Amino acid sequence: GGGIELARTKHATDPYFLQPMEGVDGTGYRASWWTQFYCILWRSWLSVLKDPMLVKVRLLQTAMVASLIGSIYFGQVLDQDGVMNINGSLFLFLTNMTFQNVFAVINVFSAELPVFLREKRSRLYRVDTYFLGKTIAELPLFIAVPFVFTSITYPMIGLKAGVTHYLTTL
């Protein structure tokens, strides 16, 4: 019995221990999961809309890299050298799409880290609601960037013609 009483006293005087608060459910958050998600999604969407120059720069950067890769691998023919070159271009397709989106996410999360940590410590929202809200708010850009890249490089390289093949690549 004495150990439990000692633990309660210790937590009551510990400045980093969160005391039970009025209006808080059993999870320790004042808002439901859906309310947190909606608020983060709305705030993230407004943040994306507030900076249209960033969207334009990312799309322009994608178009320039796609044009460069397309001009390097322009008009490949289906012989042994062409197949090896197409294999290299597909590798660049994958690495460019992967790392361009990964670096964009890293940039956003690292820029917002201090605010995120402060708001998480205040128990305003969960990590999963923050991550999902941010990701879904940037989803249109995550779709537009590969669309621009593939639309430029696919015909320049001379990959297999046809809408079905293009959409599969996309």
Side-chain angles (χ1 to χ4, degrees), residues 38-87:
Y38 175 77
C39 290
I40 293 294
L41 180 62
W42 181 252
R43 185 173 77 178
S44 301
W45 180 248
L46 290 178
S47 175
V48 168
L49 292 178
K50 261 196 300 190
D51 201 359
M53 183 57 80
L54 181 65
V55 173
K56 290 175 187 172
V57 166
R58 283 194 54 199
L59 292 174
L60 180 64
Q61 176 188 7
T62 299
M64 292 174 65
V65 170
S67 300
L68 178 67
I69 291 173
S71 62
I72 290 171
Y73 292 102
F74 186 78
Q76 295 299 312
V77 292
L78 291 178
D79 59 5
Q80 185 158 353
D81 289 336
V83 169
M84 294 300 289
N85 289 338
I86 289 172
N87 190 27

Side-chain angles (χ1 to χ4, degrees), residues 33 44-45 87 97 100 105 109 113 131 138 156 160 164:
W33 190 94
S44 301
W45 180 248
N87 190 27
M97 289 299 94
Q100 189 169 22
V105 169
F109 280 113
L113 186 62
F131 178 77
E138 298 210 6
M156 286 182 77
K160 193 167 185 176
T164 307

